[in-house]
Amino acid sequence: MHSRGMGGGRGMRAGGVCAGIRQPQLVERLRARLGEHAVYGVVFVPEHRPEAAWRRVHELRLTPAMRAGERAEEMRMGEMPRPVWLLDEPVLLAANLQQLCREGSILEQGPERIESGWWDGKDVTRDYYIVRQARGARWWVFQQRQTQCWYLHGMFA
């Protein structure tokens, strides 16, 4: 698989590295074209709240941090999968479960309860679910326990 790359007629290999360009060179080219803040790495932070469980770092590794099998072994028994794509802010979907289901959503998995942050004033009390939309998209949604409202927080690929 090849596609037009960074220039000079070079294309991307299936492994994700431009033909003839080493990884550090690729990162520097991307930063030169897109800006320093547009190209970054992500590290995981030991935190239960999804929006606080990662942070950006300047170092960018182009090799997988873990193989899929290693991640599966690391997951606790019964833990739901987490989407890679989280929204910047959760989006209100429905005021109640009936309204959510009326729109064609099916609860596939859950709940996973997250209660955290009481010590820093940013506490959350949420029940997370994986929802399949009528058109097949899989969403990561939560019900806020105090208000019982449903929010979209992320999407699965």
Side-chain angles (χ1 to χ4, degrees):
M1 173 174 100
H2 285 80
S3 63
R4 283 283 175 207
M6 302 300 294
R10 296 181 197 156
M12 292 292 283
R13 290 186 187 153
V17 178
C18 284
I21 299 177
R22 300 219 177 265
Q23 291 178 0
Q25 292 170 323
L26 176 60
V27 170
E28 289 309 312
R29 279 189 173 191
L30 288 171
R31 285 187 173 141
R33 289 185 181 205
L34 302 173
E36 283 289 319
H37 298 292
V39 181
Y40 55 87
V42 174
V43 295
F44 296 103
V45 176
E47 170 63 58
H48 293 288
R49 294 168 287 189
E51 58 272 20
W54 64 277
R55 69 180 164 83
R56 295 178 185 190
V57 293
H58 189 265
E59 180 185 359
L60 178 64
R61 294 183 186 172
L62 297 179
T63 56
M66 286 188 224
R67 289 175 180 61
E70 291 173 349
R71 175 64 182 137
E73 289 173 17
E74 186 181 276
M75 289 178 70
R76 293 187 310 265
M77 186 71 139
E79 184 179 290
M80 286 194 331
R82 301 272 173 99
V84 175
W85 183 15
L86 287 184
L87 302 177
D88 290 334
E89 295 289 327
V91 175
L92 179 64
L93 288 176
N96 57 52
L97 182 59
Q98 290 79 19
Q99 183 181 359
L100 186 68
C101 291
R102 224 182 353 253
E103 295 170 1
S105 300
I106 299 170
L107 298 179
E108 282 192 339
Q109 194 172 351
E112 175 188 356
R113 181 158 290 170
I114 296 179
E115 294 183 89
S116 185
W118 53 268
W119 56 89
D120 63 7
K122 298 176 186 170
D123 55 324
V124 297
T125 54
R126 304 171 180 162
D127 288 334
Y128 277 87
Y129 297 83
I130 295 176
V131 168
R132 181 163 308 272
Q133 294 300 111
R135 295 184 180 170
R138 289 181 58 209
W139 289 356
W140 199 45
V141 303
F142 67 85
Q143 182 181 34
Q144 190 172 23
R145 294 192 51 227
Q146 295 90 343
T147 65
Q148 301 297 304
C149 291
W150 291 81
Y151 293 84
L152 172 63
H153 201 178
M155 294 171 235
F156 292 91

